[in-house]
Amino acid sequence: MIPIAKPYLTQEDAQAAYDTILTGWITQGPRVAEFEENFAKYTGAKYAVAVSNCTTGLHLAMIVAGIKDGDEVICPSMSYIATANSIKYVGAKPVFAEINPETYNLDIHDVKKRITPRTKAILLVHQIGMPADISVFRALCDEHQLILIEDAACAIGCSYQGKKIGSHSDLVCFSFHPRKVISTGDGGMVTTNNEAFYNRMKLLRQHGMSINDRVRHSSSKIMFEDHVEVGYNYRMTDIQAAVGIKQLAKLDWIIEERRKVAKRYENELGDIPFIRLPRARRLLHQLAILFHLSKTGMSGEAE
Ligand SMILES: Cc1ncc(COP(=O)(O)O)c(C=O)c1O
């Protein structure tokens, strides 16, 4: 029996959850704040907002980006359903574009054909952890005044142009589902360099409450909160965040272990003529980028 994926969870991760339970503070609190800080540092983003999963993170990203009823958002025709659902949540229309069969990522030429006066954003998925060519999509978005949102559910730890995924755009959403590179059971994170987005997402993830629980409970005075807009309960728990802190600390090791597994698949399956292995994609992606660069003068690279 070969599992489709197996999280790298250790005794240390279990101990962190155990210790957090015994502190008595189990929902969003100090461990979540610490996880966010470490995550922002790892990715190089200014801010990180922990959420209950990547889908809720994508939903918040759509809201703060101002996507609404009647808007169109271009996304890949091949992705997990949560990508398109997050667009539907705000009443907008997912417009499916083709992917490049070599990289599995959005095909820029097909995306261009699908831009209409209603297009408001491009939701770029880093398919199965393969970074998409962000700078060419950034340029296209700038040309048409579109918002670029990244669905990086599978892409924690990947780099593009020498910087970690999470640091290039204002809304990048990650997943910690057990099939992803690191796991907190379920969980998600949105990174941003935009302070207004950061503050609004923090508000929306906990019922639109003007004062968070941690501040209220540590105050010596009674504090009354306002609910300034319709929010959601998209909180991560401190139990999950405690596991996330430990998982993030060993992310680079986990990636190395996963590379070893990939190498084994390459060695064992590489000579079977009717199987096309993803190993070629990295090289082909780089070649495709070089070809694009020679035409546009832009620079791109993915790891
Ligand atoms: C590309 C993509 N986006 C979004 C999601 C949703 O992530 P989550 O399960 O954390 O909501 C997934 C999960 O499989 C995914 O692969």
Side-chain angles (χ1 to χ4, degrees):
M1 175 71 179
I2 301 172
I4 187 166
K6 202 164 145 197
Y8 287 82
L9 291 167
T10 64
Q11 178 68 34
E12 178 192 47
D13 303 316
Q15 188 66 45
Y18 179 93
D19 292 344
T20 303
I21 289 168
L22 294 185
T23 66
W25 193 290
I26 50 176
T27 191
Q28 182 183 283
R31 293 285 83 80
V32 167
E34 186 183 341
F35 187 30
E36 289 172 334
E37 201 178 309
N38 295 357
F39 201 90
K41 206 173 285 171
Y42 181 89
T43 54
K46 223 165 169 180
Y47 309 105
V49 180
V51 283
S52 48
N53 53 68
C54 181
T55 311
T56 54
L58 285 165
H59 184 198
L60 294 188
M62 292 291 152
I63 298 172
V64 301
I67 316 280
K68 41 188 187 319
D69 209 6
D71 291 337
E72 293 178 358
V73 178
I74 301 175
C75 66
S77 54
M78 192 191 81
S79 180
Y80 187 60
I81 195 163
T83 305
N85 279 349
S86 70
I87 300 167
K88 297 283 284 180
Y89 292 163
V90 291
K93 180 180 165 193
V95 174
F96 297 108
E98 297 296 345
I99 56 154
N100 176 329
E102 298 300 343
T103 66
Y104 299 171
N105 282 322
L106 267 179
D107 176 343
I108 185 92
H109 306 292
D110 197 62
V111 169
K112 280 181 186 169
K113 285 190 229 152
R114 293 172 199 277
I115 294 174
T116 73
R118 288 174 171 238
T119 309
K120 191 82 185 273
I122 295 175
L123 179 48
L124 191 60
V125 179
H126 301 296
Q127 202 64 255
I128 326 172
M130 169 72 115
D133 200 354
I134 300 169
S135 56
V136 296
F137 285 95
R138 168 89 278 152
L140 186 66
C141 284
D142 289 347
E143 189 187 331
H144 294 270
Q145 273 118 50
L146 307 177
I147 298 154
L148 184 66
I149 302 174
E150 293 174 55
D151 179 342
C154 305
I156 178 65
C158 306
S159 303
Y160 173 80
Q161 291 186 344
K163 281 164 58 184
K164 293 282 180 205
I165 293 293
S167 59
H168 303 86
S169 311
D170 276 342
L171 291 162
V172 188
C173 305
F174 296 88
S175 171
F176 308 127
H177 179 272
R179 271 200 310 269
K180 305 302 184 288
V181 187
I182 57 172
S183 185
T184 58
D186 254 311
M189 192 75 78
V190 187
T191 55
T192 183
N193 296 317
N194 180 315
E195 195 177 357
F197 287 173
Y198 170 64
N199 288 329
R200 183 133 185 256
M201 286 191 286
K202 284 209 304 183
L203 199 73
L204 287 171
R205 75 170 166 185
Q206 55 163 11
H207 305 288
M209 236 164 83
S210 60
I211 307 169
N212 75 40
D213 283 340
R214 201 151 52 99
V215 173
R216 276 196 324 159
H217 286 264
S218 55
S219 167
S220 54
K221 290 183 280 178
I222 297 175
M223 297 184 88
F224 292 102
E225 75 278 14
D226 288 322
H227 291 87
V228 294
E229 64 175 312
V230 177
Y232 307 87
N233 179 356
Y234 286 172
R235 284 184 296 243
M236 175 182 277
T237 69
D238 257 24
I239 306 169
Q240 292 167 297
V243 175
I245 292 165
K246 297 293 179 195
Q247 286 270 289
L248 187 63
K250 47 180 172 280
L251 171 58
D252 293 338
W253 170 77
I254 292 173
I255 291 172
E256 279 318 306
E257 290 303 300
R258 289 170 71 109
R259 284 198 200 283
K260 282 185 206 159
V261 174
K263 189 87 207 135
R264 193 166 161 213
Y265 276 105
E266 270 178 36
N267 292 343
E268 302 292 329
L269 303 175
D271 293 336
I272 303 174
F274 56 84
I275 294 182
R276 250 171 83 186
L277 285 174
R279 75 173 164 196
R281 282 184 291 146
R282 221 169 135 196
L283 182 61
L284 285 169
H285 186 56
Q286 282 163 352
L287 288 174
I289 290 167
L290 284 175
F291 176 68
H292 180 83
L293 298 186
S294 65
K295 283 171 55 185
T296 62
M298 282 189 220
S299 76
E301 114 205 12
E303 289 161 18

